[in-house]
Amino acid sequence: MMRFSFMVLILVLSFGTQANDTPEKAVSSLFSALSHAAKEKPNIPMLKKLFHPEAKVYGVHFTKDTPSLMAISSTEFIKLLDKVPEKGFYECEVVRKVQTYDRFAQVYSVAETRFNREQKQPDFTGVNSIQLYKHDNEWQILSLYYQIESPSHPINLEGAKSGVCL
């Protein structure tokens, strides 16, 4: 019995530690961790694991076609998300391009956001530039730069279909 328990423990630990062993898995984990139902928090423990302690988050939002850049630490970003919101938040990544060299990776990603998982049209679409570093055997996010689509500059889905998540 003890031998069986030890083997189960080893299996559980190995699956948990290899969750982000590729840049693709790390980015998928990011969008999964950000997504949540109404009155539920995002997956804060996963976000803390995904972001390198020195990571930065940059975001561009538009107000009447005027861009505004936000730049904060990943710790501040996670604190902003660590609450129970009234609405759901579902990220659906529809485009991803990955370039990797040794312990370096950059990812171009397009994600649609819906406040209700079942709705057809996204509430908004954004483009993301994600830089990652391979620490030991796991990829961590060093920087996340996102920009919400503006009506004057639509994002090209490059043949992908809206609502069909990667």
Side-chain angles (χ1 to χ4, degrees):
M1 179 67 175
M2 182 137 181
R3 186 175 176 176
F4 176 75
S5 298
F6 180 72
M7 290 180 69
V8 169
L9 176 64
I10 295 298
L11 279 172
V12 168
L13 290 175
S14 68
F15 283 116
T17 59
Q18 295 301 314
N20 301 313
D21 61 355
T22 68
E24 293 84 356
K25 287 181 184 176
V27 170
S28 290
S29 293
L30 171 66
F31 291 118
S32 177
L34 289 170
S35 298
H36 58 84
K39 299 186 180 183
E40 290 183 13
K41 287 183 178 186
N43 186 339
I44 299 301
M46 176 58 76
L47 290 170
K48 288 179 178 179
K49 182 179 177 181
L50 281 168
F51 282 94
H52 186 277
E54 299 298 319
K56 291 284 192 181
V57 177
Y58 303 88
V60 173
H61 300 268
F62 286 87
T63 305
K64 298 181 183 174
D65 279 340
T66 302
S68 174
L69 176 68
M70 170 196 74
I72 59 176
S73 71
S74 61
T75 303
E76 292 170 294
F77 178 70
I78 292 168
K79 280 182 188 175
L80 289 172
L81 297 173
D82 195 6
K83 61 185 175 187
V84 179
E86 289 297 312
K87 293 181 180 180
F89 187 85
Y90 300 96
E91 294 278 69
C92 174
E93 188 182 21
V94 294
V95 175
R96 181 190 303 153
K97 294 180 183 179
V98 180
Q99 293 179 309
T100 306
Y101 170 76
D102 193 30
R103 304 183 91 60
F104 169 92
Q106 61 184 16
V107 179
Y108 170 86
S109 172
V110 177
E112 298 176 327
T113 302
R114 291 170 175 78
F115 297 130
N116 178 334
R117 184 190 303 261
E118 306 307 319
Q119 71 191 54
K120 294 268 186 207
Q121 292 298 111
D123 289 292
F124 57 90
T125 301
V127 63
N128 305 279
S129 175
I130 306 164
Q131 289 69 44
L132 301 105
Y133 170 71
K134 189 174 185 181
H135 178 71
D136 294 328
N137 289 320
E138 291 204 324
W139 289 89
Q140 287 189 305
I141 298 168
L142 290 177
S143 70
L144 166 62
Y145 170 41
Y146 68 89
Q147 181 170 323
I148 304 301
E149 182 177 47
S150 71
S152 60
H153 293 92
I155 297 171
N156 183 350
L157 295 185
E158 301 180 24
K161 294 182 84 170
S162 178
V164 178
C165 307
L166 300 178

